């Protein structure tokens, strides 16, 4: 692969194309006729796109055939050129197992429940501020973005006053319409920022997650691993949940029956799971490389081939249930893929679930007349972002 400048993306590749809340019909067609199909990536290389639910689970669940570490790549893509050391998503067992084992205690359901009172307080503070400001407000900036951002900052020990910088860098890193060189530069800047925080914590560990890892596992975790883990959690911790809160609220406002269920304590857990399935805001999770020549869904995949997965297509596969093109909080389906599957299943899933199960009902109860302040056709979606969402959502009540 050459080092020539990569073209700026002007048309979204098939696996991230959406029509408002829905993935492009092309993905459903591929899932039916060619569930493992070769596509051309934005940097000019080939990749296998997997669209069927069972095949996605098969590949993600088999770390012996499909690796996360880009050292297995036959042709190293630009996003994998940066140093992989410390990046949890680039680790494979047994290194991944060892590092994740150190982090898992901080993300157990029991540990996250201890954060619930603080999450509830943060949500109420932002609802109070919205009420005092009066309508209209941008729900993304006033509610959906700051709540998970503040929660993850407090959990990690990242100064919240730095949010403008790390949110700016996050947007650059996730925006596929930005030149790859600029996105990689933003990644390096983000890692440099986190390296300074880790250095200060090494000297004086705090009570947050980074400090805990240093106090309890100083000889088991390297600075590069601390930087990589903290950077991933900061990036994913505010981007994914914030986009779920924005998109999910807009969808609920369009369906009063579903909105009522999401506002109730009895149904909020089911509402969160169905919204996660339906929205599938992460178009595709971390890619895999075939460790050896193998077969998936009857398709021969060569050693070192890149494999990517369409989460929206998988989460609407008829194999999961019926009528999946509709939001239905009362439905029963197979486990969704919004948090991935296998050894790399999202570490922060319990935290994301907690934030949503607190935030949705609190918002909908506080503002029972909440509605979009502009026609839905004028709401701007983040069409080129790695994590799908809304650029803004003006609301009134």
């Amino acid at each position: 692969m050459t080092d020539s400048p990569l073209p700026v993306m002007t048309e979204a590749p098939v696996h991230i194309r959406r029509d408002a809340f829905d993935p492009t019909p092309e993905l459903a067609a591929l899932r039916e006729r060619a569930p493992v199909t070769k596509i051309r990536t934005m940097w000019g290389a080939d990749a296998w796109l997997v669209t069927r639910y069972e095949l996605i689970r098969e590949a993600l669940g088999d770390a012996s055939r499909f690796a996360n570490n880009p050292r297995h790549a036959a042709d190293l893509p630009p996003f994998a050129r940066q140093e992989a050391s410390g990046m949890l998503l680039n680790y494979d067992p047994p290194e991944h197992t060892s590092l994740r084992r150190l982090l898992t205690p901080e993300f157990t359901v029991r540990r996250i429940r201890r954060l619930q009172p603080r999450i509830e307080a943060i949500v109420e503070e932002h609802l109070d501020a919205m009420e005092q400001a009066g309508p209209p407000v941008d729900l993304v900036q006033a509610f959906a973005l700051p709540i998970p951002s503040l929660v993850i900052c407090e959990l990690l020990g990242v100064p919240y006053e730095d949010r403008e910088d790390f949110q700016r860098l996050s947007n650059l890193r996730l925006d596929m319409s930005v030149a790859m060189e600029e996105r990689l530069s933003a990644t390096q800047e983000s890692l440099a920022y986190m390296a300074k925080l880790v250095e200060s914590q090494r000297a004086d560990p705090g009570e947050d997650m980074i400090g805990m890892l240093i106090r309890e596992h100083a000889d088991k975790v390297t600075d590069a691993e601390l930087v990589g883990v903290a950077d991933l959690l900061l990036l994913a911790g505010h981007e994914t949940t914030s986009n779920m809160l924005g998109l999910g609220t807009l969808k609920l406002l369009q369906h009063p029956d579903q909105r009522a269920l999401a506002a109730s304590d009895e149904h909020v857990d089911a509402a969160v799971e169905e919204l996660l399935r339906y929205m599938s805001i992460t178009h595709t999770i971390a890619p895999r490389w075939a460790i050896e020549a193998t077969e998936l869904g009857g398709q021969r995949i060569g050693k070192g081939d890149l494999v990517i997965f369409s989460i929206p297509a998988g989460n609407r596969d008829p194999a999961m249930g019926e009528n999946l093109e509709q939001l239905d909080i009362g439905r029963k389906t197979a486990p969704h893929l919004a948090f991935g599957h296998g050894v790399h299943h999202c570490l922060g899933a319990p935290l994301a679930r907690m934030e949503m199960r607190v935030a949705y009902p609190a918002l909908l109860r506080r503002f029972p007349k909440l509605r979009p302040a502009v026609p839905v056709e004028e709401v701007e979606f983040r069409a080129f972002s790695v994590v799908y969402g809304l650029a803004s959502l003006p609301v009134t009540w």
Side-chain angles (χ1 to χ4, degrees):
M1 179 169 293
T2 69
D3 290 323
S4 59
L6 292 161
V8 175
M9 183 185 295
T10 56
E11 181 182 9
V14 62
H15 63 284
I16 73 164
R17 292 178 199 159
R18 308 252 186 159
D19 179 10
F21 300 103
D22 300 319
T24 177
E26 295 171 78
L27 284 172
L30 285 174
R31 185 180 61 218
E32 177 64 24
R33 71 172 190 269
V36 182
T37 191
K38 187 167 286 188
I39 64 170
R40 199 73 171 167
T41 63
M42 61 172 289
W43 58 90
D46 289 332
W48 295 103
L49 176 64
V50 186
T51 49
R52 191 168 290 173
Y53 176 78
E54 292 181 357
L55 297 179
I56 294 172
R57 283 177 58 91
E58 177 185 340
L60 296 182
D62 193 346
S64 67
R65 293 163 61 205
F66 298 98
N68 280 60
N69 196 315
R71 69 182 177 84
H72 293 281
D75 190 12
L76 196 62
F79 64 78
R81 290 181 185 178
Q82 294 183 332
E83 176 59 48
S85 177
M87 301 296 180
L88 188 63
L89 290 180
N90 288 339
Y91 276 30
D92 294 311
E95 293 81 9
H96 171 268
T97 308
S98 300
L99 181 56
R100 182 157 174 141
R101 187 179 293 124
L102 303 182
L103 301 168
T104 299
E106 291 301 303
F107 287 96
T108 61
V109 173
R110 178 180 298 180
R111 186 70 62 93
I112 294 302
R113 281 178 182 158
R114 296 180 188 174
L115 298 177
Q116 183 169 344
R118 179 57 184 148
I119 294 172
E120 290 172 345
I122 290 171
V123 168
E124 290 302 316
E125 289 168 8
H126 286 80
L127 291 175
D128 290 344
M130 282 178 58
E131 194 166 25
Q132 292 166 11
V137 300
D138 178 0
L139 190 74
V140 171
Q141 293 301 320
F143 186 78
L145 179 58
I147 289 170
S149 185
L150 181 54
V151 170
I152 197 65
C153 281
E154 291 189 359
L155 184 66
L156 289 175
V158 174
Y160 187 59
E161 56 268 26
D162 294 343
R163 64 189 179 279
E164 287 190 10
D165 273 345
F166 66 68
Q167 287 171 2
R168 172 184 60 83
L169 293 170
S170 294
N171 286 334
L172 286 173
R173 295 168 70 179
L174 297 177
D175 188 347
M176 288 183 282
S177 69
V178 172
M180 182 63 78
E181 290 78 6
E182 189 175 353
R183 293 174 62 196
L184 295 179
S185 176
T187 299
Q188 289 293 356
E189 189 175 343
S190 298
L191 294 174
Y193 167 80
M194 197 58 71
K196 291 181 180 179
L197 288 181
V198 167
E199 183 180 5
S200 65
Q201 288 267 26
R202 281 284 191 187
D204 184 20
E207 297 301 315
D208 44 71
M209 183 180 296
I210 298 175
M212 178 279 296
L213 288 170
I214 291 172
R215 286 195 311 275
E216 299 182 11
H217 307 290
D219 58 338
K220 298 178 183 178
V221 61
T222 67
D223 282 357
E225 289 169 339
L226 285 170
V227 169
V229 164
D231 176 70
L232 173 63
L233 291 173
L234 180 62
L235 177 67
H238 76 271
E239 280 286 347
T240 53
T241 307
S242 67
N243 284 296
M244 274 300 304
L245 290 176
L247 272 177
T249 298
L250 178 58
K251 187 65 179 180
L252 292 170
L253 294 184
Q254 296 176 302
H255 298 275
D257 57 333
Q258 303 295 295
R259 170 182 177 156
L261 291 173
S264 70
D265 291 333
E266 180 182 359
H267 297 286
V268 66
D269 286 337
V272 167
E273 296 308 310
E274 173 64 354
L275 285 165
L276 284 163
R277 180 203 68 81
Y278 184 83
M279 297 301 171
S280 298
I281 59 168
T282 304
H283 304 288
T284 179
I285 55 178
R288 304 293 195 269
W289 286 273
I291 296 175
E292 299 291 345
T294 186
E295 186 177 287
L296 183 65
Q299 177 63 59
R300 187 70 172 171
I301 296 175
K303 178 180 180 180
D305 282 3
L306 177 65
V307 185
I308 57 180
F309 310 92
S310 173
I311 301 306
N315 274 339
R316 297 196 184 193
D317 189 333
M320 285 188 66
E322 298 180 354
N323 199 26
L324 297 180
E325 300 302 318
Q326 303 297 319
L327 181 74
D328 181 0
I329 287 171
R331 79 164 73 250
K332 301 293 183 184
T333 67
H336 61 70
L337 298 165
F339 291 122
H341 177 66
V343 297
H344 282 277
H345 182 272
C346 178
L347 183 67
L351 177 61
R353 287 186 166 107
M354 174 63 72
E355 291 173 326
M356 286 184 278
R357 76 173 312 279
V358 169
Y360 282 129
L363 172 68
L364 298 173
R365 290 172 185 170
R366 176 72 72 94
F367 301 109
K369 296 182 179 180
L370 189 72
R371 61 191 184 277
V374 299
V376 174
E377 309 84 64
E378 295 181 13
V379 174
E380 183 183 354
F381 291 81
R382 299 173 64 189
F384 287 93
S385 178
V386 173
V387 181
Y388 194 57
L390 302 176
S392 64
L393 177 57
V395 294
T396 187
W397 54 87

